[in-house]
């Protein structure tokens, strides 16, 4: 593909990304994969170049653009002006530029989200949000049930120890993790450093009864299982059948014993009735805006709106109430959101009867080199 054809491909992909962000469709990575699955003529360098351009454009625009063409123009003018010369070029180039046609405005986030992040970070907001839009590193967790981190690092001089984690390692960018023998043997799992720190906050122990209330595909469940050394009872729950179904094969590979329960939205308490008042610890990795993961999914800034945020906040309140009922007196609760919005953080801890004082912390890419998280812990009175 010539450069002009790559540009046209990026515009077509961005059109789909913008529509998906507006209508709740597929993620940008998925859209790119689908696009090239029907265009076999595109080589690996072409696909990589187009993907890099698409994500560069997404990261540079705070507000959702009206079109892929407007997105590229708005990105190119301040960041990559040479792209403008490709409009109207020969071959499969996008049509020539027209005076006064729409162009997106560069920015860090939609204005209403920027205001919330300024509330969080004050004068440091620009540095913090800029770091949120950098490319994410590749982190893994060494499975303590099957391996030792020092031994794994000894076999890979180019792998780095992750500070502030018990089992974390950072791999070179672009590593095909699933092709590594350590992955196939269940010695490592892909997991961001922040996610590892969040799971470790629960301090799960052998012999305990522990519930991962929003387990998803089970990344934190597997970390909890390793902390429990295969002893005790670990129950991973979620309302998403497709995501939860990914946990069982992962647990088998890791040598972890994890029960799974598929919950019906609105019927969570009934499905967990047998566990009420008996759990030593409950982890809530709550559904959230995902503002702490913009490095991985920068187009998610375009998906969120105030109404959706309000629904997420209400779900988080319900989950804290449910977790409290599950705990025995003195039992521990950890509430996590991969978000840096105050509405999903401190505001959720304001009224929590039957729980003791909360302790909380914030992780950010700028300060901690990991995804953004709000982590809070308390205990049942």
């Amino acid at each position: 593909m010539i450069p002009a054809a790559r540009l046209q491909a990026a515009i077509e992909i961005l059109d789909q990304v913008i529509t998906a962000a507006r209508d709740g469709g597929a993620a940008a990575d998925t859209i790119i994969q689908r696009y090239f699955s029907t265009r076999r003529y595109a080589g690996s360098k072409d696909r990589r170049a187009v993907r890099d351009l698409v994500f560069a454009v997404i990261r540079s625009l705070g507000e959702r653009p009206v079109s892929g063409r407007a997105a590229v123009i708005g990105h190119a003018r301040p960041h990559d002006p040479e792209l403008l010369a490709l409009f109207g070029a020969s071959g499969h180039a996008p049509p020539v530029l027209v005076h006064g046609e729409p162009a997106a405005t560069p920015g860090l986030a939609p204005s209403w989200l920027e205001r919330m992040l300024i509330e969080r970070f004050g004068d440091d907001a620009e540095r913090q949000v800029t770091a949120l839009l950098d490319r994410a590193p590749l982190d893994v967790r060494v499975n303590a049930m099957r391996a030792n981190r020092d031994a794994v690092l000894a076999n890979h001089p180019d792998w780095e120890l992750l500070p502030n984690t018990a089992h974390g390692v950072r791999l070179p960018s672009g590593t095909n993790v699933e092709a590594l023998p350590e992955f196939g043997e269940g010695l490592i799992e892909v997991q961001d450093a922040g996610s590892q720190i969040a799971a470790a906050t629960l301090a799960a122990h052998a012999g305990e009864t522990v519930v991962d209330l929003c387990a998803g595909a089970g990344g934190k469940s597997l970390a909890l299982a390793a902390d429990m050394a295969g002893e005790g009872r670990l129950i991973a729950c979620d309302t998403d059948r497709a995501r939860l179904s990914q946990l069982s094969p992962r647990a088998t590979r890791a040598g972890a014993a994890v029960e799974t329960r598929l919950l019906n939205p609105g019927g969570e308490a009934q499905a967990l009735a047998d566990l009420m008042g008996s759990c030593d610890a409950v982890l809530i990795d709550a559904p959230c805006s995902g503002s702490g993961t913009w490095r991985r999914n920068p187009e998610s800034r375009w998906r969120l709106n105030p109404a959706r945020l309000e629904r997420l906040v209400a779900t988080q309140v319900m989950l804290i109430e449910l977790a409290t009922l599950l705990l025995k007196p003195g039992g521990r609760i950890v509430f996590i959101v991969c978000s840096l919005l105050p509405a999903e953080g401190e505001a959720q801890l304001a009224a929590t009867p039957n729980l003791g004082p909360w302790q909380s912390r914030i992780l950010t890419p700028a300060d901690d080199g990991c995804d953004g998280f709000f982590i809070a812990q308390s205990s049942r009175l």
Side-chain angles (χ1 to χ4, degrees), residues 17 91 121 169-170 179 190 200 202 229 237 281 296 298 311 349 354 374:
V17 170
F121 295 113
V169 175
R170 180 156 292 171
V190 176
L202 193 67
C237 312
R296 304 175 192 280
R311 292 193 296 271
L349 312 181
N354 301 317
F374 176 85

Side-chain angles (χ1 to χ4, degrees), residues 31-112:
I31 290 171
I32 294 170
Q33 183 179 9
R34 290 174 181 170
Y35 182 88
F36 284 116
S37 68
T38 60
R39 293 165 173 82
R40 301 294 185 182
Y41 56 81
S44 60
K45 290 184 179 179
D46 295 319
R47 295 193 298 271
R48 189 179 306 112
V50 172
R51 184 186 187 281
D52 288 348
L53 177 55
V54 166
F55 276 101
V57 172
I58 293 172
R59 287 188 171 96
S60 70
L61 304 175
E63 302 285 351
R64 188 175 68 229
V66 295
S67 69
R69 184 177 171 91
V72 167
I73 296 170
H75 163 78
R77 284 175 176 163
H79 299 294
D80 198 353
E82 293 182 359
L83 290 175
L84 300 175
L86 299 176
F87 285 84
S90 59
H92 299 280
V96 67
L97 292 172
V98 178
H99 178 71
E101 70 175 289
T105 302
L108 295 174
S111 56
W112 70 280

Side-chain angles (χ1 to χ4, degrees), residues 147-196:
N148 173 275
R149 179 167 67 173
D150 290 340
V152 170
L153 285 170
N155 292 326
H156 296 277
D158 56 340
W159 293 11
E160 302 175 13
L161 182 148
L162 275 177
N164 303 317
T165 68
H167 310 290
V169 175
R170 180 156 292 171
L171 275 57
S173 179
T175 300
N176 183 358
V177 178
E178 294 186 3
L180 296 171
E182 289 88 351
F183 181 84
E185 296 166 10
L187 308 187
I188 60 173
E189 283 285 341
V190 176
Q191 189 171 41
D192 175 73
S195 185
Q196 295 182 45

Side-chain angles (χ1 to χ4, degrees), residues 19-364:
T19 300
R22 183 194 65 205
D23 300 337
D29 265 330
T30 301
I31 290 171
I32 294 170
Q33 183 179 9
R34 290 174 181 170
Y35 182 88
F36 284 116
S37 68
T38 60
R39 293 165 173 82
R40 301 294 185 182
Y41 56 81
S44 60
K45 290 184 179 179
D46 295 319
R47 295 193 298 271
R48 189 179 306 112
V50 172
R51 184 186 187 281
D52 288 348
L53 177 55
V54 166
F55 276 101
V57 172
I58 293 172
R59 287 188 171 96
S60 70
L61 304 175
E63 302 285 351
R64 188 175 68 229
V66 295
S67 69
R69 184 177 171 91
V72 167
I73 296 170
H75 163 78
R77 284 175 176 163
H79 299 294
D80 198 353
E82 293 182 359
L83 290 175
L84 300 175
L86 299 176
F87 285 84
S90 59
H92 299 280
V96 67
L97 292 172
V98 178
H99 178 71
E101 70 175 289
T105 302
L108 295 174
S111 56
W112 70 280
L113 285 175
E114 278 197 11
R115 289 192 292 271
M116 289 188 175
L117 291 166
I118 290 172
E119 178 186 349
R120 162 72 73 198
F121 295 113
D123 293 340
D124 197 32
E126 183 174 356
R127 182 180 75 94
Q128 294 286 352
V129 178
T130 298
L132 273 173
L133 296 172
D134 287 341
R135 297 186 68 168
L138 177 56
D139 298 341
V140 301
R141 176 182 54 80
V142 175
N143 179 9
M145 291 190 292
R146 291 196 164 174
N148 173 275
R149 179 167 67 173
D150 290 340
V152 170
L153 285 170
N155 292 326
H156 296 277
D158 56 340
W159 293 11
E160 302 175 13
L161 182 148
L162 275 177
N164 303 317
T165 68
H167 310 290
V169 175
R170 180 156 292 171
L171 275 57
S173 179
T175 300
N176 183 358
V177 178
E178 294 186 3
L180 296 171
E182 289 88 351
F183 181 84
E185 296 166 10
L187 308 187
I188 60 173
E189 283 285 341
V190 176
Q191 189 171 41
D192 175 73
S195 185
Q196 295 182 45
I197 293 169
T201 303
L202 193 67
H205 299 303
E208 291 188 319
T209 297
V210 178
V211 172
D212 185 354
L213 197 51
C214 307
K220 293 184 180 66
S221 297
L222 296 178
L224 297 175
D227 289 341
M228 296 170 70
E231 300 180 19
R233 189 179 180 193
L234 174 59
I235 305 99
C237 312
D238 208 275
T239 58
D240 189 323
R241 182 186 299 272
R243 295 193 69 203
L244 191 61
S245 67
Q246 298 175 42
L247 175 53
S248 291
R250 295 179 71 188
T252 299
R253 188 178 68 246
V258 185
E259 300 176 35
T260 60
R261 290 197 190 186
L262 180 66
L263 307 180
N264 291 320
E268 293 90 349
Q270 294 91 325
L272 297 170
D274 61 309
L275 295 171
M276 292 296 175
S278 66
C279 298
D280 296 285
V282 177
L283 182 74
I284 311 171
D285 185 8
C288 67
S289 65
S291 58
T293 63
W294 286 351
R295 299 188 304 174
R296 304 175 192 280
N297 304 289
E299 80 278 8
S300 64
R301 289 137 63 227
W302 302 345
R303 293 176 177 270
L304 194 62
N305 57 55
R308 181 165 180 253
L309 178 60
E310 186 175 345
R311 292 193 296 271
L312 289 166
V313 167
T315 298
Q316 293 160 13
V317 171
M318 179 275 291
L319 290 168
I320 292 174
E321 293 173 351
L322 175 59
T324 303
L325 295 174
L326 289 168
L327 289 172
K328 64 173 62 172
R332 310 182 304 283
I333 181 173
V334 169
F335 171 75
I336 306 164
V337 284
C338 50
S339 170
L340 297 173
L341 305 180
E344 300 180 282
E346 293 88 347
Q348 296 293 47
L349 312 181
T352 49
N354 301 317
L355 292 176
W358 288 91
Q359 294 180 315
S360 64
R361 65 183 296 191
I362 295 170
L363 304 176
T364 73

